[in-house]
Amino acid sequence: MVHFLFQRSWQFLISLLGITLLTFVLIHLAPGEPTDLQTTLNPKVSAQARENLRRLYGLDRPLPVQYLDWLRRFATLDLGRSFVDGEPVSEKIWGRLPITVTINLLSLTVIVLIAFPIGILSATRQGSWFDKATTLFVYVGFALPSFWLALLLMLLFSVSLGWLPLSGYQSLSAAQMAPLERLIDWGRHLVLPVLTASLIGLAGYSRYLRSEMLEVIRQDYIRTARAKGLSERQVVYKHALRNALIPIVTLMGLELPALIGGSVIIETIFAIPGMGQLSYQAVLARDYPVVMGLTMFGAVLTLAGNFLADLSYAWINPRVRLS
Amino acid sequence: MKNPVEVKAPEDVSREPGPARLSHKALAWRRFKRNRVALFGGLIVLAVTLVALLAPILAPYDPDGINIEEILSPPSVQHPFGTDPLGRDVLSRIIWGARVSLWVGFAAVGIAILIGMAVGALAGFYAGAIDSFLMRLVDIMLAIPTFFLILAVIAILEPSIWNIMIVIGLTGWMGVARLVRGQFLGVKEMDYVIAARALGARDFRLIVRHILPNSLSPVYVAAVLGVAGAILTESALSFLGIGVQPPKASWGSILTAGKDNIEIAWWLSVFPGLAIFVTVLGYNLLGEGLRDALDPRLKL
């Protein structure tokens, strides 16, 4: 296990270094400079001022030097300052993180609560009407653009029925509300974003669990479990499900980038001031330290997710460690 | 084996009993024809392609024709899908939008497949250090949240239909690379490849003429499913206003108008999304059907 841990940590570091290099090169290869917005678009800025600005941000130095410098600061968690308001990028991200994490954790909970029973039932009753209905539902889920689903839910629950607020994450009058009232108000604002995110994620997870279950149920040890007279319930939940869940752990690690990408769309539609909205605004403003910082943050999160998934996978399944 | 005369030739043993021996492709086609869901998907794909090709004939109005007297008019006989905030006919814009979506989908997938095949072929054929390096690169690319990367690159390049295609292609090749590498690892050990090598075929010829053609089945499937993914990404970017730029009609950008007018014009939010949904569904069903037909072992 120690050897495995060491090996994976090493890979983690190499990948991290690769990602920083790749992101840096990609952003710098593109034509146009981050100071363009402040200089070219503003005729009052003289050539001298432009040069000063470039020097201030260190853009006049050779790329490798810029990269090493950026890497050194990244190692100390200093992601630079926003071009727009001068606020440190790391503080900007930390401030936006809680709401994004909340929405994603809530949707993940909903997904697990609904997708697992669907996956198990459709696998144990393969070919039944229930299986066919959920298969149809899965195909619909895969083809549904999240932003369209969001608009349809808004049309139904906010515009037609008027049950839920259209967007934002709190009412304008939230400051005057009592704590409990405020919590309810906050919850009502989160229903549609969480519903959208979970409906989109549901299809993948239930499908994946179904095929894992089908794979496991064919194994010899399941036949053995049945042959020794265990109840079907025990066979399915104790013997089959446990083994089918192992790859789901890995899937959760791999799904992180999609989750982060999805936040951009959902937070922009529902006007929720989270990380996704921050990245969208940063892109529009060409706020390049923020874009870079967010991409790195997302990449580190993904790598950490994969790393944890690998570890827990090895923890649950000793065969991986040996090979 | 006391009596060699009685030993059958290997090819006789391997031949399947049946009325006629069919090639791999013919067998796949036979399985595909029996799959009604896949045929339905194929029908959708065909229909959307025809709509895109015949857009000038099918569209009842000029998609860019502004009419300030009919701003945001609800669906009617004249305008079955209503009009947008500039009085343009939504049906005509959706019909022309099919061109944009398919064009971006095909081009992006084309780029992704070319890169993926090159990387996968090199990794699978040469193995060793080249393989480790390329596969590490794939892992790294997969760890970067693609949507962020696309946003970052679009922020710096101008958002345009060309840049969208290129960026989606450049961030979507990793899956194909893995598939092709896996195929290469198996196929390159086959007797006919070893024979070709013994006859003096050079690496390039081995890769392109001998191994690649036998490694393509999963690539077809990935290509069809990739078109669906690229259409989804393009419409998301256009919806956010950083994809295909107005006045060019795109399904995503019509939905932006729908979001801005959600309380007064439901039709702007419903119909363009339906077009995306149906098209993506069609490609997904076709791709899944193709997968089942080409490799029935995978069917669960």
Side-chain angles (χ1 to χ4, degrees), chain B residues 61-112:
Chain B
Y61 295 88
D62 173 8
D64 303 326
I66 294 172
N67 181 355
I68 44 168
E69 284 171 14
E70 284 188 301
I71 285 173
L72 290 178
S73 52
S76 61
V77 181
Q78 287 85 31
H79 301 286
F81 290 178
T83 63
D84 74 356
L86 293 175
R88 294 174 294 195
D89 180 52
V90 173
L91 175 62
S92 306
R93 286 185 76 71
I94 289 179
I95 290 174
W96 279 87
R99 284 196 169 188
V100 171
S101 284
L102 290 189
W103 188 212
V104 172
F106 290 155
V109 166
I111 294 171

Side-chain angles (χ1 to χ4, degrees), chain A residues 11 15 18-19 22-23 26-27 30-31 126 139-140 142-145 147-148 151-152 154-155 159 166 211 215 218 257 260-261 264-265 268-269 279-280 283-284 286 291 294-295 298-299 302-303, chain B residues 136-137 140-149 151-153 155-158 232 235-236 239-242 252 255 258-259 262-263 266 269-271 273-274 276-277 280-281 284-285 288 299-300:
Chain A
Q11 281 181 2
S15 303
I19 289 173
L22 206 71
T23 316
L26 263 176
I27 290 182
Q126 193 187 5
Y139 278 121
V140 169
F142 275 137
L144 215 52
F147 48 97
W148 187 49
L151 289 178
L152 292 181
M154 282 162 118
L155 271 177
V159 179
L166 201 51
S211 55
E215 192 74 28
R218 290 182 198 164
I260 297 168
V264 177
I265 294 171
T268 308
I269 295 180
S279 75
Y280 177 62
V283 162
L284 288 189
R286 290 201 179 189
V291 171
L294 277 167
T295 309
T302 307
L303 277 182
Chain B
R136 195 88 298 218
L137 185 69
I140 289 172
M141 284 292 291
L142 283 173
I144 302 179
T146 321
F147 204 73
F148 268 31
L149 195 64
L151 283 181
V153 177
I156 291 152
L157 300 170
E158 294 296 302
L232 275 178
S235 55
F239 175 74
L240 291 174
I242 45 180
L255 281 174
K259 183 199 149 213
I262 192 157
E263 286 174 274
W266 58 268
S269 294
V270 171
F271 297 117
L274 202 61
I276 302 172
F277 170 68
V280 172
L281 184 69
N284 278 345
L285 293 180
E288 299 267 335
K299 189 162 187 178
L300 288 170

Side-chain angles (χ1 to χ4, degrees), chain A residues 34-74:
Chain A
T35 47
D36 279 358
L37 203 70
Q38 286 153 292
T39 54
T40 324
L41 301 176
N42 186 347
K44 284 186 203 146
V45 176
S46 68
Q48 180 58 42
R50 192 175 306 164
E51 260 325 292
N52 288 343
L53 208 56
R54 291 192 64 205
R55 195 161 308 140
L56 176 68
Y57 292 130
L59 295 169
D60 55 337
R61 290 175 304 156
L63 273 185
V65 178
Q66 282 191 47
Y67 172 67
L68 286 178
D69 192 44
W70 185 87
L71 201 63
R72 211 187 56 231
R73 282 185 286 125
F74 178 71

Side-chain angles (χ1 to χ4, degrees), chain B residues 4-235:
Chain B
V5 183
E6 279 180 14
V7 177
K8 283 182 184 168
E11 53 180 328
D12 283 332
V13 180
S14 69
R15 276 177 185 166
E16 291 175 27
R21 285 189 315 278
L22 292 166
S23 71
H24 180 62
K25 268 186 191 138
L27 277 170
W29 172 237
R30 196 195 243 184
R31 281 191 294 265
F32 184 79
K33 269 193 303 187
R34 259 188 252 135
N35 186 345
R36 264 185 289 170
V37 179
L39 283 178
F40 177 65
L43 208 65
I44 294 177
V45 168
L46 197 68
V48 175
T49 313
L50 279 177
V51 167
L53 286 175
L54 301 176
I57 302 167
L58 290 175
Y61 295 88
D62 173 8
D64 303 326
I66 294 172
N67 181 355
I68 44 168
E69 284 171 14
E70 284 188 301
I71 285 173
L72 290 178
S73 52
S76 61
V77 181
Q78 287 85 31
H79 301 286
F81 290 178
T83 63
D84 74 356
L86 293 175
R88 294 174 294 195
D89 180 52
V90 173
L91 175 62
S92 306
R93 286 185 76 71
I94 289 179
I95 290 174
W96 279 87
R99 284 196 169 188
V100 171
S101 284
L102 290 189
W103 188 212
V104 172
F106 290 155
V109 166
I111 294 171
I113 297 253
L114 279 183
I115 301 176
M117 279 201 318
V119 171
L122 288 178
F125 188 81
Y126 289 108
I130 296 179
D131 183 34
S132 327
F133 172 74
L134 290 176
M135 286 303 113
R136 195 88 298 218
L137 185 69
V138 166
D139 289 345
I140 289 172
M141 284 292 291
L142 283 173
I144 302 179
T146 321
F147 204 73
F148 268 31
L149 195 64
I150 294 178
L151 283 181
V153 177
I154 293 293
I156 291 152
L157 300 170
E158 294 296 302
S160 76
I161 190 167
W162 298 105
N163 288 337
I164 297 286
M165 287 172 192
I166 294 170
V167 173
I168 297 179
L170 286 181
T171 51
W173 53 270
M174 292 81 77
V176 178
R178 279 193 172 165
L179 287 172
V180 171
R181 172 184 174 268
Q183 291 287 104
F184 261 64
L185 288 179
V187 176
K188 78 170 177 184
E189 304 294 341
M190 286 187 174
D191 287 344
Y192 81 96
V193 177
I194 295 169
R197 192 194 291 272
L199 285 172
R202 289 177 196 278
D203 287 356
F204 182 76
R205 191 180 164 83
L206 282 176
I207 292 174
V208 175
R209 286 292 301 271
H210 296 284
I211 309 179
L212 200 59
N214 264 331
S215 309
L216 286 181
S217 330
V219 177
Y220 296 135
V221 178
V224 175
L225 294 175
V227 172
I231 289 176
L232 275 178
T233 308
E234 179 274 321
S235 55

